Amino acid sequence: MRAILTRVKSASVTIDGQRVGEIGKGFLILLGVGPEDTEKECRALAEKALGLRIFEDENGKMNLGLEQVGGQVMVVSQFTLYGNCRKGRRPSFTGAAGPELGNAMYERFLEICTELGYEPQHGRFGADMKVESINDGPVTLILDTDELLDRRRG
């Protein structure tokens, strides 16, 4: 699994002109699922992401986590995180999980966020979404379970 995590002052997602999710201070997580991802990857990525201490303390150091700042979480499915741009000008997305697995792992990730104490706002898997965010910092991190679990896929 891959995620782009951005510290935000606010974020929202709109589908067909209807706002379906909105948060204040917290994390906007764009989540991509690979073809071999399982519960193990979901849990590892959720625990790492939600445990990050990237909010500033009273000394201006990134030392506070979501819990300390009363932060919220928004998760948006993003299969394009598995886009391959090595050849030509048009990305290939064959490295992303198929829709059935992708949706199942996305839903499981949302459940794990809830289990960890952060009821996520979210978009809808496969929908054409408009995502707005006001980045804070900006602070943006790339998380990949191949690195988190110390393995490389061929």
Side-chain angles (χ1 to χ4, degrees):
M1 292 186 107
R2 293 180 181 161
I4 303 294
L5 182 147
T6 302
R7 185 179 77 185
V8 297
K9 291 193 176 282
S10 64
S12 65
V13 62
T14 302
I15 301 172
D16 295 328
Q18 298 280 69
R19 184 165 285 177
V20 298
E22 183 173 20
I23 65 169
K25 178 190 289 189
F27 295 160
L28 169 59
I29 300 172
L30 303 178
L31 181 71
V33 179
E36 297 176 24
D37 289 335
T38 66
E39 163 93 16
K40 179 180 180 180
E41 285 78 16
C42 280
R43 186 159 297 282
L45 188 59
E47 288 175 354
K48 176 57 87 172
L50 299 179
L52 289 172
R53 299 181 337 187
I54 60 172
F55 293 95
E56 293 180 356
D57 64 16
E58 65 279 355
N59 298 316
K61 302 278 186 196
M62 279 198 264
N63 199 31
L64 302 177
L66 281 171
E67 185 175 5
Q68 288 87 13
V69 300
Q72 299 175 292
V73 176
M74 175 172 288
V75 182
V76 176
S77 63
Q78 187 79 44
F79 78 93
T80 61
L81 294 181
Y82 278 89
N84 182 333
C85 299
R86 288 185 202 132
K87 293 183 181 179
R89 296 177 187 263
R90 187 171 164 193
S92 168
F93 300 107
T94 59
E100 188 174 312
L101 176 64
N103 187 39
M105 292 296 100
Y106 172 69
E107 292 295 330
R108 185 62 189 128
F109 187 87
L110 296 175
E111 290 169 1
I112 293 169
C113 288
T114 300
E115 290 170 14
L116 295 173
Y118 299 95
E119 183 82 32
Q121 293 288 303
H122 53 87
R124 186 172 66 232
F125 185 87
D128 180 17
M129 296 174 275
K130 308 302 179 222
V131 179
E132 294 182 69
S133 65
I134 299 177
N135 297 351
D136 183 14
V139 174
T140 301
L141 301 167
I142 301 170
L143 302 172
D144 189 316
T145 54
D146 283 350
E147 294 175 8
L148 294 175
L149 299 172
D150 197 27
R151 65 170 188 252
R152 302 282 179 233
R153 292 187 185 140

